Each structure stands twice: as C-alpha cells, then as structure tokens.
Amino acid sequence: MRAADTAGTPEAPGPGASPGLDDLVASWRSWVERRETLTASDIDELEGHLLDRVDALRAAGLHDDEAFLVAVKRLGAVDDLSHEYARVHSERLWKQLVLDDSAVADERRGGASGAASGVDADSGLGAASDAGFAGASDGAAAASRSVPFWNRANGLAVALLLGVGAGLAVKVAAELTTDPAFFLRNGAVLVLPFLAAWFAWRHRPTLGVLLGIAGAFLAAGLVLNLYPWGGPGATELFGAPPAATELLASLHAAVALWLVTGLAYVGDGWRTSAGRMDFVRFSGEWVVYYVLIALVGAGLSALTIGVFSTIDVDVAWFFNDWVLPCAIPGAVLVAAWLVDAKQRVIENIAPVLTKVFTPLFTIMLLALVVAAVLQWNVVEAERELLIAFDLVLVVVLALLVYSYSSRDPLQRAGWFERIQLVMLAAALVVDLFVLVAMVGRTGEFGWSPNKTASLGLNVILLVNLAWSAWLQLGFLRGRVPFDRLERWQTGYLPVYLAWAAIVAVAFPVLFGFE
Amino acid sequence: MRIGKDLVAAAATPVVLGILSEGESYGYAILQQVSRLSGGELEWSDGMLYPLLHRLERQGLVASEWRQSDAGRPRKHYRLSPTGAAALAEQRRQWTVVGDVLDKLWSVQGGPTPALGGA
C-alpha cells in the first residue's frame, strides 16, 4: 500500500526513501497504540492525517525523515492528544465488554491468534498496520457479514452450547441416579470435558494433547466409579457420609482434572513457563467470574422464588430440578468465555485483589505468629488445624502467584515485594510450628488417610513457599531476575498434578477404602 | 499576531461546522481550509482537531464515514447533520451579536482601531 503511495506522488525525492518512512510510521504507530484512550480506528485516522501532511511536505521539497518529523510535531504531543481523546471518550477508560464482532475483526487484523496473550507488539508491525488499513476501511459492518455466527462475540454461541451440554450431562446423570456421592465423585468428570472442548475449540491443541486429556478423563472416570467405595448399603442411605478416601479421591481428582484441562488451554505451550502462567492467570480470573456469577445467580433465584411466592405460585421445584443442575455446570463455561472475551478489554481483577489482600493477609499471619508463641498450644494440633493451615498456605501461594502473573517482569523490586517476603516468612514460621506438632502426634496415633493427605500437601506447599522465599530474597537484593521466580512457580505445577493423582488413585487402595 | 488560546477554542466549533456546511470533508483538508481562510493566523495543533470532530460527532452535529482516498488510504469523512446545521445557525446568531457589540464599541470609542489586515 505504501508502494502505491509513492507511485502516486512522483515528486517524492530520494530513491529508496520509502521503506524508511514505512518504518518511521510503523514505530510511531506502535508508540501511539500504547495509549488506552485511542482506538485502532482513531489511530488509523491520525495516521492518514500524518501521511497527508508528509505528502504535502515532501511535495514542498523535504526529505522523508524531515517531512515525518515535522508532521509528527504538527500533530502535537501524544500525551496531550490522548488526554483530549480521553475527555471526549471518557467511557473508554471504563472499557466495555465486546459483544459484537469487532473483537473478531481485530483478531483477524492483528494476524494470527490475537486471543493468545503475550501478543508481541513489536513483531510484524508493518504487516499488522497494513492489515489494519485494509480491514479498517469499513469496519465492523464488513466483518459481521463474513464472520460465521459461531465466531461472533468471541465464540459466545459455542460457549453457550457447551454450557448447555455440561448442564444436560449433569441433568441426565441426576435422572439416572439419586446417589449424592455419585455427583461428589463425578462432578469434575461430567463438567470439565466441556470446558476442555471449549479450550480445544479456542486454542486448537494438537491431537496428541487432546488424546492425553481424553485418556486422563477416562482413567479418572474408571478409578472413581469402579473402586468399591463404602458398599451399596452405606450410600443408599442419604445420611451416611462418604468414606474418607472417597472424599479425598473426589477432591484430588477434581484438582488433577482441572490441571489436565489446562493442557487444552495452553495447547503445545504446556512445556513453557509462559504457557503455564497463562493458564494460572486464566484460573484466577475464572474463579473471580464464577463467584460473581454464582452470587448474582443466587440472588436472582431467591428474588424469583420470593416474587412468585407472593402470588402463591411455587417455583422452587423448578430451581431445584432444572436451574441448579444446569446453571452450576453451565456457568463454568460462561465464566470461561468471559475470561477470554474480557482478557483483551480490561485489566484483570485477580491481581488487583491480590494487591489489596497481600498486606492484610501478612498482618494476619504476623498476628498468628505472635499468638502461637504466646499461647504455645499449637502443639495440641488436631487434624482440622492442619487442614486449616493447608488452606493458609494455599492462600499465601495464590496471593504470590497472582501477583507474579500480572507483574511487569522488568520492574524493580519495591515495597510490595518486601511485604510478600514478610508474608512468606511468617507463613513458613507458623507452618513449621504446626508441622512439628503434627509429626509428633502422627507418631503417637498413626496415619489416617486424611492426616496423610493434608500432611503431604503441607510438605509440598512448604517446599514451594520456602524456595519462593529464598528466590524472593534474592530478587529483593537484585541477585535473581524475576523470570526465575516465575519459572519456579510454573515448574512446580506438575508436582501438584502428581500429588493429586497419587491421592486420588493410590490412597484408596493404600488405606483400604476406609 | 497570535490569537489567544481561549478565543481559538471558542471559535473552533463554529469554524469546523461552517467549513462542513460547504460540503463534506476530512481532517487534513479542514485544517488546510482553516489555515487558508485565516491567512495562516488561526492555527491549531493538527491532532487536536480530531478529538473535536469526535465530540461533534457524539453530539450528533456531524456524521462520519470511512472512504478510500485517491492514494488508496482509508480516510474518515465528516459531514454536517441537520442538527449540526441548526447548531451552526444558532452559533452564527450568537457570534453576530458579539461581533456587532464589539463593532459598535470600537467605532464609538474611536480609539486605536486595529489596522485590519496589517498586524
């Protein structure tokens, strides 16, 4: 397109000057694109103006680079400009969820897989901006005509379809059995394949990865349903609680399957740290969206039931029989779709929560250390206490990882990293107290499945956090690059997968399905 | 002579609407027109015209459309909407009043009249 440009202005001086101008404009564009208040269409308009001005200046005898400099200068400071745009389009500071097709058009414009995060703004700039011009001319109108419905709005139709599928799978299972333990065991096996299918459709993993995932689901389904839990008499009576190993296996299988499902999300990137971090990011955002949807859904249900009860119509049965079994699995897919759709539109929320709660959680842990030292009764530790401390460590880890996931890797360590180190140290101290007490008690009372599972998890988390603290210290002293911290966390993920698989598969056998 | 910032800002809307009332145009051409009509006295920073155009578009005074330029570049063309025409007429009445007042004041006072055309 720039070739046609120079052909149209034969008076352009200097042979071979055109590529230089192309590069200049491309770098200007990438600079301007960082302003959030300017959309691609705004920049197209400004770039057109810039080129008009350059053409006029070249006609007046200036060289390409001179003309470019003058034209950029005449355009005005980009900061002022974006400030002015922000005043006119204040809504852009509160970015909107893209429900039309412009996102798809953007993706096609920006080249392959714009949805994958970490799109390198500096690569293929020339191509991207050229394509931008070609696509921008009549914007979304042209795009919507050529985009099939399943690609519109970031694939909302597919997500909804799969969500309905997940809901129906649970509903059908509910028709076939009334055993609550069945749902406990099979919840993940029933719902997560639909999420994996969504990821597979979005991110196109290789056949090998897909077969691996299918194999894992099959294995989990077989293990969870063929193991002789408790015996039929126990589960048919509603009151009978499921066996300890059954609970453990169900819980750990769900965790393992979530991680396996993540393989479909990252596709072939599962070997790379960046790919795994992507899925970690996804998981955090997904949890936030799911909780929000669940809260609003519960509120809406309660309101509906209440409103109908005022006119003596009972709709509670409908919610019990249809809305709950279908909505809870369906929302899994909707939340996943939201994460993908919003990813490019808005800042992530999980890291924001992390920033808010890390200092508060640190204070809580410090208070706990003080209380434990003063009371010295941690030694009386019960199993429940160990579980509570597993949760504490999980929260510490989550706060750590989600702050990593959104951190600018080049930024230097600051106050927040120091707080993180304090939090890690406090968590480690508290946990060491608990661990020492637990090992003593286990020696006294023997190994129960629950105790063993929580002890194992505790040790795994402790190793992760201890090494994280060490790396964090190195980072604060400027000895360790941030990249090492990130790679340690992502490299540790398979450990969790392996432990979850062991608890799900081996523990029931080891402890005789007790 | 340098026209004050406030005055430039106040004049921007009627000037742009006025230019568009002569037919649709695009940013660069509007700036050229402003520069030509004012003999180079009324100068805006190029980029600032676009936020203004967008504001006018939001207010419904102008409408825009992407077209191909002669050089093959996409270009956003603006034209006056019926609301814009009405707004322009209203602005024109206001400016006429202001201009009349100033004219009368300055002709009565007979003070140092600015030598029009020769700054």
Side-chain angles (χ1 to χ4, degrees):
Chain A
M1 155 229 132
R2 225 69 80 195
D5 196 47
T6 41
T9 52
E11 68 273 51
S18 178
L21 180 60
D22 259 6
D23 292 342
L24 290 171
V25 171
S27 69
W28 169 84
R29 197 178 164 96
S30 77
W31 169 247
V32 177
E33 270 168 355
R34 285 180 217 159
R35 312 302 151 127
E36 298 195 319
T37 48
L38 281 99
T39 65
S41 157
D42 294 340
I43 300 175
D44 286 345
E45 193 176 22
L46 288 174
E47 185 176 331
H49 179 96
L50 197 69
L51 292 171
D52 281 338
R53 178 69 76 186
V54 167
D55 281 351
L57 289 167
R58 284 199 306 194
L62 263 61
H63 285 284
D64 278 2
D65 47 351
E66 296 165 343
F68 175 77
L69 281 176
V70 174
V72 167
K73 178 82 179 159
R74 291 266 0 206
L75 210 51
V78 176
D79 278 334
D80 295 344
L81 204 55
S82 62
H83 183 70
E84 205 55 38
Y85 270 93
R87 275 177 42 174
V88 177
H89 300 283
S90 57
E91 82 284 355
R92 284 188 194 154
L93 300 175
W94 294 93
K95 294 181 183 169
Q96 292 129 336
L97 175 60
V98 182
L99 271 173
D100 61 22
D101 312 317
S102 52
V104 179
D106 276 351
E107 253 169 58
R108 292 191 313 172
R109 258 184 246 160
S113 73
S117 72
V119 173
D120 189 0
D122 295 326
S123 69
L125 255 177
S129 64
D130 270 354
F133 270 119
S137 53
D138 50 357
S144 66
R145 255 177 272 125
S146 55
V147 174
F149 79 94
W150 58 83
N151 271 337
R152 295 200 189 153
N154 289 296
L156 178 60
V158 177
L160 287 179
L161 211 66
L162 286 169
V164 170
L168 282 182
V170 172
K171 183 66 191 161
V172 167
E175 292 301 311
L176 295 178
T177 175
T178 52
D179 177 9
F182 174 84
F183 290 102
L184 182 73
R185 289 198 306 267
N186 288 297
V189 180
L190 283 174
V191 174
L192 288 182
F194 291 92
L195 186 63
W198 163 250
F199 290 156
W201 183 76
R202 279 297 277 185
H203 302 292
R204 317 277 156 160
T206 57
L207 189 65
V209 171
L210 285 179
L211 286 177
I213 297 168
F217 273 103
L218 193 67
L222 289 177
V223 163
L224 290 172
N225 290 298
L226 294 184
Y227 274 178
W229 311 108
T235 42
E236 266 170 32
L237 297 168
F238 265 52
T245 50
E246 188 177 1
L247 249 173
L248 280 175
S250 310
L251 197 67
H252 284 80
V255 172
L257 288 177
W258 178 264
L259 290 174
V260 167
T261 306
L263 291 181
Y265 183 83
V266 294
D268 302 327
W270 64 273
R271 282 191 196 83
T272 67
S273 172
R276 292 179 193 178
M277 200 44 126
D278 243 12
F279 183 63
V280 169
R281 256 181 225 116
F282 170 89
S283 304
E285 291 294 297
W286 180 87
V287 168
V288 172
Y289 284 123
Y290 194 85
V291 169
L292 285 178
I293 292 174
L295 279 176
V296 177
L300 186 64
S301 305
L303 191 65
T304 312
I305 294 172
V307 166
F308 274 90
S309 77
T310 60
I311 53 168
D312 285 335
V313 179
D314 178 27
V315 289
W317 65 270
F318 177 74
F319 278 87
N320 280 332
D321 290 359
W322 286 98
V323 176
L324 280 184
C326 294
I328 291 174
V332 170
L333 269 296
V334 174
W337 171 80
L338 266 176
V339 176
D340 262 4
K342 289 285 274 185
Q343 178 183 318
R344 282 146 46 81
V345 187
I346 200 168
E347 297 279 328
N348 294 344
I349 189 72
V352 178
L353 293 177
T354 310
K355 270 272 196 306
V356 174
F357 282 102
T358 296
L360 298 177
F361 205 74
T362 305
I363 293 170
M364 185 276 254
L365 280 174
L366 288 175
L368 199 60
V369 171
V370 174
V373 169
L374 289 181
Q375 299 250 357
W376 204 247
N377 64 357
V378 204
V379 192
E380 309 294 312
E382 288 296 324
R383 172 172 59 81
E384 284 73 22
L385 191 89
L386 190 58
I387 291 175
F389 276 92
D390 279 348
L391 287 179
V392 167
L393 294 191
V394 166
V395 171
V396 170
L397 193 69
L399 289 173
L400 196 68
V401 171
Y402 284 107
S403 75
Y404 286 179
S405 79
S406 66
R407 197 177 182 282
D408 175 3
L410 299 180
Q411 208 186 327
R412 287 165 51 104
W415 64 269
F416 188 73
E417 283 70 26
R418 292 195 174 83
I419 293 183
Q420 279 181 325
L421 186 61
V422 174
M423 174 178 77
L424 283 170
L428 290 176
V429 169
V430 174
D431 198 62
L432 277 177
F433 283 155
V434 178
L435 216 56
V436 168
M438 278 314 295
V439 170
R441 282 180 68 82
T442 310
E444 214 172 308
F445 299 105
W447 301 85
S448 79
N450 273 329
K451 216 185 286 175
T452 315
S454 28
L455 196 64
L457 179 61
N458 206 291
V459 170
I460 288 175
L461 288 167
L462 198 66
V463 169
N464 186 348
L465 291 174
W467 189 247
S468 299
W470 177 246
L471 288 176
Q472 187 88 12
L473 184 67
F475 178 59
L476 280 174
R477 298 168 66 195
R479 302 254 173 95
V480 174
F482 183 70
D483 182 57
R484 286 245 331 258
L485 277 63
E486 228 178 34
R487 273 190 290 125
W488 163 249
Q489 293 302 340
T490 54
Y492 208 75
L493 284 177
V495 176
Y496 295 111
L497 178 61
W499 175 249
I502 288 171
V503 174
V505 177
F507 268 44
V509 180
L510 285 176
F511 290 97
F513 305 99
E514 103 183 31
Chain B
M1 179 180 68
R2 204 180 148 77
I3 300 177
K5 213 171 134 192
D6 292 345
L7 194 54
V8 171
T13 301
V15 167
V16 167
L17 292 179
I19 287 172
L20 290 178
S21 73
E22 292 169 359
E24 70 164 50
S25 187
Y26 56 96
Y28 183 71
I30 293 173
L31 279 176
Q32 298 292 99
Q33 182 86 333
V34 170
S35 177
R36 196 170 54 76
L37 287 172
S38 68
E41 300 283 8
L42 194 56
E43 291 241 19
W44 298 336
S45 149
D46 286 17
M48 292 305 172
L49 173 65
Y50 293 96
L52 171 65
L53 282 168
H54 290 198
R55 185 162 72 240
L56 296 178
E57 189 176 3
R58 279 185 87 109
Q59 292 166 348
L61 304 183
V62 304
S64 75
E65 198 178 345
W66 283 94
R67 301 255 179 83
Q68 292 287 324
S69 76
D70 299 337
R73 288 201 280 270
R75 186 172 270 165
K76 206 169 176 186
H77 284 252
Y78 294 87
R79 66 184 151 70
L80 203 63
S81 72
T83 332
L88 178 60
E90 172 61 25
Q91 290 252 345
R92 189 171 174 172
R93 275 195 293 280
Q94 295 178 7
W95 277 89
T96 312
V97 172
V98 174
D100 281 353
V101 169
L102 292 176
D103 264 357
K104 280 173 191 157
L105 274 176
W106 288 332
S107 61
V108 168
Q109 286 170 353
T113 34
L116 284 171

